[in-house]
Amino acid sequence: MQGDHGRRVADNEARFREVNEAISRGSWPGEDDSALAFRCECASRDCNRLVSITPREYEGVRAHARRFLVLPGHEQPSAETVIASHPGYVVVEKLGQAGRLAEASDPRA
């Protein structure tokens, strides 16, 4: 990923991550193990698919600023590596420039 395209992809992923942060904040106390619908945080601007995971599982993804929640097949090997595969979702970690952009846009930073 290079230049303007890379920045657009990173901006898109950051927006999806912000949506998921709001979903996670909106869960009720004690619902850490109840599945919620989170947005796929992939690079595709047209993706509007949902991933069913618990807030606790999402916290595991978000514990690292460079990591994102995506559906299987939505990985982008040129900019990320798969950290973990689970039934129904994959955790990817951004590399290089994409990783630096992910850290810079992390709402928790």
Side-chain angles (χ1 to χ4, degrees), residues 71-95:
L71 287 165
H74 290 213
E75 306 92 335
Q76 204 173 49
S78 64
E80 60 199 20
T81 187
V82 173
I83 297 299
S85 294
H86 301 277
Y89 73 98
V90 176
V91 178
V92 297
E93 184 169 310
K94 298 297 178 181
L95 305 171

Side-chain angles (χ1 to χ4, degrees), residues 14 17-18 21 25 62 102-103 105-109:
R17 184 166 57 184
E18 288 172 12
E21 286 287 315
R25 283 190 308 271
R62 289 296 297 122
E103 287 177 344
S105 67
D106 186 359
R108 295 183 179 189

Side-chain angles (χ1 to χ4, degrees), residues 17-63:
R17 184 166 57 184
E18 288 172 12
V19 167
N20 285 342
E21 286 287 315
I23 291 168
S24 184
R25 283 190 308 271
S27 65
W28 291 95
E31 287 186 328
D32 288 343
D33 295 316
S34 298
L36 297 174
F38 288 86
R39 288 287 304 262
C40 177
E41 297 173 337
C42 73
S44 174
R45 190 169 49 193
D46 298 326
C47 181
N48 60 3
R49 307 263 319 266
L50 300 175
V51 181
S52 181
I53 63 169
T54 68
R56 187 181 317 275
E57 290 169 319
Y58 186 68
E59 283 302 310
V61 175
R62 289 296 297 122

